[in-house]
Amino acid sequence: MTPATTTERSVQVAAGRVMLEGTLGIPERAAGVVLFAHGSGSGRHSPRNRRVAEVLRAGGLATLLVDLLTEEEEAVDVHTGHLRFDIELLAERLVGAIDWMGREEMTRSLPVGLFGASTGGGAALVAAARRPQRVQAVVSRGGRPDLAGDALPVVQAPTLLIVGGRDTVVIRLNEEARARMRAEVRLEIVPGATHLFEEPGALEHVAELARDWFTVHLSP
């Protein structure tokens, strides 16, 4: 459960020419703020990402979950599936959200981490490459960091890549992406887990790994 000391509220995030719907949760004395980069049709109401966010907040980290696509774009993407793979668009929205947090009183003094899932993992790394002074750490859950392409060697933020042990194709793609990166990067394989980490205890393991990574790298 979300700790009673957490302030959670709905926000509208200005990202370029669009307004994104989001949920901002800030525990007392937050050490940093983690922006979630959803992918593959997922949004701020995703039970998996909300569970990870709860663990992060319990660990003293603020969280911002946003829908990277507008309602109109989401309606189109349900049928076409192409926007969730538009890494440039998703990264642009993430950069907009990072800049928004830099203007908001509640978040502007907090170091920023990015938590990317699926295609959001690639978008998070592109955004980290574009805002190296703001983004201090990245975690990718079952992500596609390979989709970050030429941004990979530019990323400066320490990066944790988490992949399920049975997600063999994505393991290979993560290994290839890691080989292109110059920042501190670690690949963590969760034994027995598949792409969505639906196995008992798998998502909790992911959340704890992410919490520990952000706690170390976002601490002043």
Side-chain angles (χ1 to χ4, degrees), residues 36-134:
F36 279 63
H38 314 292
S40 299
S42 179
R44 73 188 191 281
H45 298 302
S46 159
R48 286 183 294 276
N49 285 329
R50 287 192 63 80
R51 180 59 194 135
V52 173
E54 288 173 359
V55 172
L56 296 185
R57 291 196 297 269
L61 296 162
T63 59
L64 176 59
L65 289 81
V66 294
D67 293 335
L68 294 180
L69 301 179
T70 65
E71 285 188 11
E72 294 78 9
E73 291 168 339
E74 196 71 63
V76 171
D77 195 57
V78 166
H79 299 289
T80 67
H82 76 282
L83 291 177
R84 70 191 69 174
F85 284 95
D86 189 337
I87 301 302
E88 177 60 32
L89 174 66
L90 299 179
E92 181 182 293
R93 300 281 168 84
L94 287 172
V95 167
I98 293 167
D99 293 345
W100 177 87
M101 290 191 296
R103 297 189 298 269
E104 289 293 303
E105 183 177 355
M106 295 181 74
T107 53
R108 65 189 178 199
S109 64
L110 297 175
V112 174
L114 300 179
F115 182 90
S118 192
T119 53
L125 287 167
V126 174
R130 294 181 183 173
R131 290 294 184 270
Q133 301 306 314
R134 285 289 285 150

Side-chain angles (χ1 to χ4, degrees), residues 159-211:
T159 300
L160 174 64
L161 307 174
I162 307 173
V163 188
R166 293 164 61 189
D167 199 4
T168 53
V169 172
V170 175
I171 289 175
R172 176 177 56 79
L173 294 171
N174 274 255
E175 289 173 337
E176 292 172 357
R178 178 180 61 174
R180 297 189 62 192
M181 295 182 69
R182 297 171 182 165
E184 176 189 353
V185 57
R186 191 173 98 206
L187 176 60
E188 190 80 34
I189 297 176
V190 179
T194 50
H195 186 63
L196 296 179
F197 298 90
E198 295 175 309
E199 295 72 24
L203 190 61
E204 291 296 323
H205 190 184
V206 168
E208 290 164 2
L209 289 169
R211 177 199 62 204

Side-chain angles (χ1 to χ4, degrees), residues 7-11 22-26 64 100 104-106:
T7 300
E8 192 172 7
R9 62 190 179 101
S10 296
V11 293
T23 304
L24 178 65
I26 304 183
L64 176 59
W100 177 87
E104 289 293 303
E105 183 177 355
M106 295 181 74

Side-chain angles (χ1 to χ4, degrees), residues 17-33:
R17 293 173 291 180
V18 300
M19 296 294 290
L20 305 176
E21 300 296 327
T23 304
L24 178 65
I26 304 183
E28 293 180 330
R29 296 181 295 278
V33 58

